[in-house]
Each structure stands twice: as structure tokens, then as C-alpha cells.
Amino acid sequence: MSTFWRYVRIQAFVLLCGIVGPIFLVIYFASGGDPMMKWMFWVGLLITAIDVMIALGLTAAGAKSAAHKEKLEQVGVLALAQVTGIHETNTRVNEQPLVKLDLQISGPGIAPFASQDRVLASVSRLPMITNRKLVAVVDPATNEYRIDWERSSLVSGLMPATFTIAEENKTYDLTGQSGPLMEILQILKAHGIGINSMVDLRSNPAAREQVQAVVRRAAAQQAVPSPSPVTSEPGATSASFLAPPAPSTAQRLQELETLRATGAISDDEYTAKRQQIIAEL
């Protein structure tokens, strides 16, 4: 999005929120400049000027952030950010909890380093955070980084990762295999290929060959021989029962959010239970 259209969108939003200023100006001019309404002119002018300044400031900040993100994407490398600790901050932004993460970041071309980051633990991000594997784009010169949530959803297993090799007429499922998926993401980034629901590499033979090599290697490592069947005594009946899996941390936190939203628990009970769940990680 260009800076101009970003400004137009932000200015429209700011004027909508601070519409009192333009309304005062309209009333003043509609009254024919009545001296008794002069105060409306000056107050409306002041509020409108503040609206414009706020919009310009937000536009400049947004443009700077977008430019910084684009530059980091260009010069940065993809690294695996292991979540080694999750801490409550007792702060919420737009009803979403803000948590502090301890990260151990490592990747090609950078020395491993530890860092801390504060992130919004939204419902969509919670499974990635509790899976403890995130993707970061790191500037190798400064170690400046940002967490890439879209790529993280792939590496953490939230997004299915299937690869079809036409020559073999086979489809391989690498969902949740962080090592091979990080390699593939690094290959795609090196060739300037973004990720979306479907990536077709037929137009890029070099990237296609590299990705296929990673997929085949991962599939070979994934294949393990089946265990020998256990022979039972004649007439014996055997059965295997699996206990239902325990709910994940993300599920427990979501259930807790639902209980609070429905008024089943108080805010104090919610805070105590959430801290208990986080402490068990």
C-alpha cells in the first residue's frame, strides 16, 4: 500500500473518531459566520488540525514500520526461535494477554543468541507459542529480528505442509517437521518466493530441485521399519486401549477464556488459573 493511500485511510478513520471538529466547522459556516458561533470555528479548527496531525503521525509511523519490515525481509535470514520460557505480564491489549518470551535464536550465518520479546498471545498465536518453535527473520549484522507468525504457523504444525513430486506421483506430508520445513522456507526465501496456500515451483527449476531434495531426505528419515508382530497364544484375545489425550495448553487457555467470557469464573479466579497453566509449561 502506498504512503498516500495509507494516509487517506488513516485520516478517514481519525476524522471519524474525532468528527466533532468538522461538525463544528460545518455548523459555523452553515450559520453564515454568526459572531455568536465564533467559538465553534476556533474549536472545530483546532480539533480538525489535531486530527490531521495525528493522521500524519500514524501514517509516518506505519510507513516507517513497513519499510523496516521490508528491509529486514531483504537482508535478514530465517532462524529458529526456540521458546525457553513464557512469563505473564498481567497486561492485556484489546482483551489479548501480553506475554514475555525467553528465546534462543539460531540460524545460518548467525551466532546463536538469547533474547526476550513481548508478544500478544492471541488465540491464533497461542498454539505456536506453546509449541515453543517460532520463526524469526534476523539481520545477521545486528541480530535485530522480528517474529514471522505466518512462517511460524507452518513450522509449528498449525498449517499443513504437503509436497507433491509429479515425477514420482507421490505426496509427502512434512507437517510439524520443523527441521526440514525450516530448510524449505530458507530455500524459498533465497529465491524470493513467498508462502501461501499453494506454491508451484515448476517455473523455478533450481528451487524445485532443492526443495525436492529436502522432501526426499525428510521422507527417508521418517520411514521406519514396522515392529515385528507379537504372537499371542492360541485362543487369546488382545486389545489396545489408548487413553484420551490430555488437552493442550492452548486448549486449556482457550477454555479458561471462554469460562471468563461467560461469567462462569471471576477475574481473580481467571488470573490465578492462567498463571497456574503458564507455570506448568
Side-chain angles (χ1 to χ4, degrees), residues 14-260:
V14 171
L15 285 175
L16 182 63
C17 296
I19 201 169
V20 174
I23 288 177
F24 278 9
L25 291 177
V26 169
I27 293 174
Y28 172 74
F29 288 111
S31 68
D34 186 347
M36 296 294 293
M37 309 290 284
K38 194 71 173 179
W39 67 271
M40 276 194 171
F41 172 78
W42 292 112
V43 173
L45 189 64
L46 177 62
I47 294 176
T48 303
I50 292 174
D51 287 343
V52 172
M53 294 302 295
I54 291 174
L56 288 173
L58 292 175
T59 302
K64 183 178 179 181
S65 176
H68 180 266
K69 179 180 178 180
E70 183 178 351
K71 179 183 177 182
L72 190 58
E73 182 68 25
Q74 291 174 351
V75 304
V77 299
L78 294 186
L80 185 64
Q82 295 275 5
V83 180
T84 58
I86 306 172
H87 310 283
E88 285 282 357
T89 63
N90 296 321
T91 302
R92 300 179 71 84
V93 179
N94 295 329
E95 295 304 315
Q96 297 176 351
L98 183 72
V99 298
K100 183 169 66 175
L101 304 181
D102 296 327
L103 302 173
Q104 185 67 35
I105 302 175
S106 59
I110 61 173
F113 65 96
S115 182
Q116 284 190 332
D117 205 347
R118 293 174 183 266
V119 302
L120 289 176
S122 62
V123 173
S124 61
R125 291 179 178 180
L126 266 176
M128 299 182 238
I129 294 172
T130 56
N131 194 49
R132 296 180 177 268
K133 291 180 181 178
L134 302 174
V135 177
V137 185
V138 185
D139 184 340
T142 63
N143 280 355
E144 185 179 4
Y145 70 92
R146 70 173 180 85
I147 295 175
D148 189 314
W149 296 103
E150 184 178 10
R151 290 182 172 113
S152 295
S153 67
L154 184 66
V155 170
S156 65
L158 291 187
M159 183 188 298
T162 57
F163 299 84
T164 300
I165 299 180
E167 296 89 336
E168 302 175 4
N169 196 26
K170 287 184 178 180
T171 298
Y172 299 91
D173 189 355
L174 303 188
T175 302
Q177 297 189 45
S178 58
L181 290 176
M182 280 297 300
E183 288 187 65
I184 291 171
L185 287 175
Q186 288 160 354
I187 292 170
L188 295 179
K189 184 177 183 302
H191 289 272
I193 302 172
I195 63 171
N196 49 43
S197 58
M198 180 69 69
V199 179
D200 190 342
L201 298 178
R202 285 177 294 184
S203 61
N204 195 322
R208 182 166 174 259
E209 183 178 346
Q210 293 173 1
V211 169
Q212 286 181 347
V214 174
V215 171
R216 290 190 181 103
R217 185 175 71 248
Q221 294 172 349
Q222 191 178 22
V224 293
S226 302
S228 301
V230 178
T231 304
S232 301
E233 294 181 2
T237 301
S238 61
S240 177
F241 298 93
L242 297 178
S248 66
T249 301
Q251 290 172 327
R252 294 171 66 191
L253 289 170
Q254 181 57 43
E255 291 172 0
L256 192 61
E257 293 281 354
T258 302
L259 289 174
R260 188 181 70 155

